Each structure stands twice: as C-alpha cells, then as structure tokens.
Short mmCIF file of all heavy atoms in Angstrom, two decimals:
data_model
loop_
_atom_site.label_atom_id
_atom_site.label_comp_id
_atom_site.label_asym_id
_atom_site.label_seq_id
_atom_site.Cartn_x
_atom_site.Cartn_y
_atom_site.Cartn_z
N VAL A 1 0.84 -1.20 0.00
CA VAL A 1 0.00 0.00 0.00
C VAL A 1 0.87 1.25 0.00
O VAL A 1 1.82 1.37 0.80
CB VAL A 1 -0.94 0.00 1.23
CG1 VAL A 1 -1.90 1.18 1.15
CG2 VAL A 1 -1.72 -1.31 1.32
N HIS A 2 0.54 2.20 -0.89
CA HIS A 2 1.28 3.45 -0.97
C HIS A 2 1.22 4.18 0.37
O HIS A 2 0.20 4.20 1.04
CB HIS A 2 0.70 4.33 -2.08
CG HIS A 2 1.54 5.51 -2.42
ND1 HIS A 2 1.57 6.67 -1.66
CD2 HIS A 2 2.41 5.72 -3.45
CE1 HIS A 2 2.40 7.53 -2.22
NE2 HIS A 2 2.93 6.99 -3.30
N ARG A 3 2.33 4.77 0.75
CA ARG A 3 2.44 5.40 2.07
C ARG A 3 1.37 6.46 2.30
O ARG A 3 0.90 6.67 3.43
CB ARG A 3 3.82 6.03 2.24
CG ARG A 3 4.17 7.08 1.20
CD ARG A 3 5.55 7.68 1.43
NE ARG A 3 5.93 8.61 0.38
CZ ARG A 3 5.49 9.86 0.28
NH1 ARG A 3 4.64 10.34 1.17
NH2 ARG A 3 5.89 10.65 -0.71
N ALA A 4 0.90 7.14 1.21
CA ALA A 4 -0.08 8.21 1.36
C ALA A 4 -1.46 7.69 1.79
O ALA A 4 -2.25 8.44 2.37
CB ALA A 4 -0.20 8.99 0.05
N VAL A 5 -1.76 6.44 1.48
CA VAL A 5 -3.08 5.89 1.82
C VAL A 5 -2.98 4.68 2.74
O VAL A 5 -3.99 4.04 3.04
CB VAL A 5 -3.86 5.51 0.53
CG1 VAL A 5 -4.13 6.75 -0.31
CG2 VAL A 5 -3.10 4.46 -0.29
N HIS A 6 -1.77 4.38 3.21
CA HIS A 6 -1.54 3.19 4.02
C HIS A 6 -2.43 3.15 5.25
O HIS A 6 -3.12 2.16 5.52
CB HIS A 6 -0.07 3.11 4.41
CG HIS A 6 0.26 1.99 5.36
ND1 HIS A 6 0.07 2.10 6.72
CD2 HIS A 6 0.75 0.75 5.15
CE1 HIS A 6 0.43 0.97 7.31
NE2 HIS A 6 0.85 0.14 6.39
N ASP A 7 -2.43 4.21 6.05
CA ASP A 7 -3.15 4.18 7.31
C ASP A 7 -4.66 4.08 7.10
O ASP A 7 -5.34 3.34 7.83
CB ASP A 7 -2.81 5.42 8.13
CG ASP A 7 -1.35 5.43 8.60
OD1 ASP A 7 -0.68 4.38 8.46
OD2 ASP A 7 -0.89 6.48 9.09
N CYS A 8 -5.18 4.81 6.13
CA CYS A 8 -6.62 4.73 5.84
C CYS A 8 -7.00 3.34 5.38
O CYS A 8 -8.03 2.79 5.80
CB CYS A 8 -6.99 5.77 4.77
SG CYS A 8 -6.89 7.47 5.33
N PHE A 9 -6.18 2.75 4.51
CA PHE A 9 -6.46 1.40 4.02
C PHE A 9 -6.44 0.41 5.17
O PHE A 9 -7.35 -0.42 5.31
CB PHE A 9 -5.44 1.02 2.95
CG PHE A 9 -5.60 -0.39 2.43
CD1 PHE A 9 -6.43 -0.65 1.35
CD2 PHE A 9 -4.93 -1.45 3.02
CE1 PHE A 9 -6.60 -1.95 0.87
CE2 PHE A 9 -5.09 -2.75 2.55
CZ PHE A 9 -5.92 -2.99 1.47
N ALA A 10 -5.40 0.46 6.00
CA ALA A 10 -5.25 -0.50 7.10
C ALA A 10 -6.42 -0.40 8.07
O ALA A 10 -6.96 -1.41 8.53
CB ALA A 10 -3.93 -0.28 7.82
N GLU A 11 -6.84 0.82 8.40
CA GLU A 11 -7.95 1.01 9.35
C GLU A 11 -9.24 0.42 8.80
O GLU A 11 -9.96 -0.30 9.51
CB GLU A 11 -8.14 2.50 9.63
CG GLU A 11 -9.24 2.80 10.62
CD GLU A 11 -9.40 4.29 10.88
OE1 GLU A 11 -8.58 5.09 10.38
OE2 GLU A 11 -10.37 4.66 11.59
N ALA A 12 -9.54 0.69 7.53
CA ALA A 12 -10.77 0.17 6.92
C ALA A 12 -10.69 -1.35 6.76
O ALA A 12 -11.70 -2.06 6.92
CB ALA A 12 -11.00 0.84 5.58
N PHE A 13 -9.51 -1.85 6.44
CA PHE A 13 -9.32 -3.29 6.27
C PHE A 13 -9.59 -4.02 7.58
O PHE A 13 -10.30 -5.03 7.61
CB PHE A 13 -7.89 -3.55 5.78
CG PHE A 13 -7.66 -4.92 5.20
CD1 PHE A 13 -7.75 -5.13 3.83
CD2 PHE A 13 -7.34 -6.00 6.00
CE1 PHE A 13 -7.53 -6.38 3.28
CE2 PHE A 13 -7.12 -7.26 5.47
CZ PHE A 13 -7.21 -7.44 4.10
N VAL A 14 -9.03 -3.51 8.67
CA VAL A 14 -9.21 -4.13 9.97
C VAL A 14 -10.69 -4.12 10.38
O VAL A 14 -11.21 -5.11 10.90
CB VAL A 14 -8.36 -3.42 11.03
CG1 VAL A 14 -8.76 -3.84 12.44
CG2 VAL A 14 -6.88 -3.71 10.81
N GLU A 15 -11.37 -3.01 10.13
CA GLU A 15 -12.78 -2.92 10.49
C GLU A 15 -13.60 -3.99 9.78
O GLU A 15 -14.46 -4.64 10.37
CB GLU A 15 -13.32 -1.53 10.15
CG GLU A 15 -14.78 -1.33 10.53
CD GLU A 15 -15.28 0.06 10.20
OE1 GLU A 15 -14.51 0.88 9.67
OE2 GLU A 15 -16.48 0.32 10.45
N ARG A 16 -13.31 -4.19 8.49
CA ARG A 16 -14.07 -5.19 7.74
C ARG A 16 -13.69 -6.61 8.18
O ARG A 16 -14.55 -7.49 8.27
CB ARG A 16 -13.81 -5.01 6.24
CG ARG A 16 -14.67 -5.89 5.36
CD ARG A 16 -14.50 -5.52 3.90
NE ARG A 16 -15.24 -4.33 3.54
CZ ARG A 16 -16.46 -4.34 3.00
NH1 ARG A 16 -17.08 -5.49 2.77
NH2 ARG A 16 -17.05 -3.22 2.68
N VAL A 17 -12.43 -6.86 8.47
CA VAL A 17 -12.00 -8.18 8.92
C VAL A 17 -12.67 -8.54 10.25
O VAL A 17 -13.09 -9.68 10.47
CB VAL A 17 -10.46 -8.23 9.04
CG1 VAL A 17 -10.01 -9.45 9.85
CG2 VAL A 17 -9.82 -8.27 7.66
N ARG A 18 -12.78 -7.55 11.13
CA ARG A 18 -13.41 -7.82 12.44
C ARG A 18 -14.89 -8.17 12.30
O ARG A 18 -15.47 -8.75 13.20
CB ARG A 18 -13.23 -6.60 13.34
CG ARG A 18 -11.81 -6.47 13.90
CD ARG A 18 -11.63 -5.21 14.70
NE ARG A 18 -10.30 -5.16 15.32
CZ ARG A 18 -9.73 -4.06 15.78
NH1 ARG A 18 -10.39 -2.89 15.70
NH2 ARG A 18 -8.54 -4.10 16.32
N GLY A 19 -15.48 -7.82 11.18
CA GLY A 19 -16.88 -8.14 10.95
C GLY A 19 -17.12 -9.53 10.39
O GLY A 19 -18.28 -9.95 10.23
N LEU A 20 -16.05 -10.25 10.07
CA LEU A 20 -16.19 -11.61 9.53
C LEU A 20 -16.63 -12.57 10.64
O LEU A 20 -16.14 -12.50 11.77
CB LEU A 20 -14.88 -12.09 8.93
CG LEU A 20 -14.35 -11.30 7.72
CD1 LEU A 20 -12.97 -11.80 7.33
CD2 LEU A 20 -15.31 -11.38 6.54
N ARG A 21 -17.51 -13.48 10.28
CA ARG A 21 -17.97 -14.47 11.25
C ARG A 21 -17.18 -15.77 11.07
O ARG A 21 -17.14 -16.34 9.98
CB ARG A 21 -19.46 -14.75 11.08
CG ARG A 21 -20.00 -15.74 12.12
CD ARG A 21 -21.45 -16.07 11.89
NE ARG A 21 -21.88 -17.16 12.77
CZ ARG A 21 -22.97 -17.89 12.59
NH1 ARG A 21 -23.77 -17.64 11.56
NH2 ARG A 21 -23.26 -18.87 13.42
N VAL A 22 -16.54 -16.21 12.13
CA VAL A 22 -15.77 -17.45 12.14
C VAL A 22 -16.61 -18.53 12.81
O VAL A 22 -17.19 -18.30 13.88
CB VAL A 22 -14.44 -17.28 12.92
CG1 VAL A 22 -13.67 -18.58 12.97
CG2 VAL A 22 -13.61 -16.16 12.29
N GLY A 23 -16.71 -19.71 12.18
CA GLY A 23 -17.51 -20.75 12.81
C GLY A 23 -17.61 -22.01 12.00
O GLY A 23 -16.88 -22.22 11.02
N ASP A 24 -18.54 -22.88 12.41
CA ASP A 24 -18.79 -24.15 11.75
C ASP A 24 -19.18 -23.89 10.29
O ASP A 24 -20.14 -23.15 10.02
CB ASP A 24 -19.93 -24.87 12.47
CG ASP A 24 -20.13 -26.30 11.98
OD1 ASP A 24 -19.98 -26.55 10.76
OD2 ASP A 24 -20.47 -27.17 12.82
N PRO A 25 -18.44 -24.46 9.34
CA PRO A 25 -18.72 -24.17 7.93
C PRO A 25 -20.09 -24.63 7.46
O PRO A 25 -20.54 -24.22 6.39
CB PRO A 25 -17.60 -24.91 7.19
CG PRO A 25 -17.18 -26.00 8.12
CD PRO A 25 -17.33 -25.42 9.50
N ARG A 26 -20.77 -25.45 8.25
CA ARG A 26 -22.10 -25.93 7.88
C ARG A 26 -23.21 -25.00 8.34
O ARG A 26 -24.38 -25.22 8.02
CB ARG A 26 -22.31 -27.34 8.45
CG ARG A 26 -21.34 -28.37 7.90
CD ARG A 26 -21.35 -29.65 8.71
NE ARG A 26 -20.85 -29.41 10.07
CZ ARG A 26 -20.69 -30.37 10.98
NH1 ARG A 26 -21.01 -31.61 10.68
NH2 ARG A 26 -20.25 -30.08 12.19
N GLU A 27 -22.86 -23.96 9.12
CA GLU A 27 -23.86 -23.03 9.63
C GLU A 27 -24.06 -21.86 8.68
O GLU A 27 -23.12 -21.43 8.00
CB GLU A 27 -23.44 -22.52 11.01
CG GLU A 27 -23.40 -23.58 12.09
CD GLU A 27 -22.96 -23.03 13.44
OE1 GLU A 27 -22.66 -21.82 13.51
OE2 GLU A 27 -22.90 -23.81 14.41
N ASP A 28 -25.27 -21.31 8.67
CA ASP A 28 -25.55 -20.15 7.83
C ASP A 28 -24.77 -18.93 8.32
O ASP A 28 -24.59 -18.73 9.53
CB ASP A 28 -27.05 -19.83 7.87
CG ASP A 28 -27.90 -20.89 7.18
OD1 ASP A 28 -27.35 -21.62 6.34
OD2 ASP A 28 -29.10 -20.97 7.50
#
C-alpha cells in the first residue's frame, strides 16, 4: 500500500476483517 493511503487502508481493512464471522462451515 502506498504510504499516502496506508493508514486509511489498514484502518478500513481491519474494520471489515473484524466483521467476519468465524464458525462451523455448515452453519448459515
């Protein structure tokens, strides 16, 4: 990531990753 947008990208990336649901692959 280019240094000019690195921090914005990382912050948004982390927010979306934290929203992922981890669990039994057979569950909805």
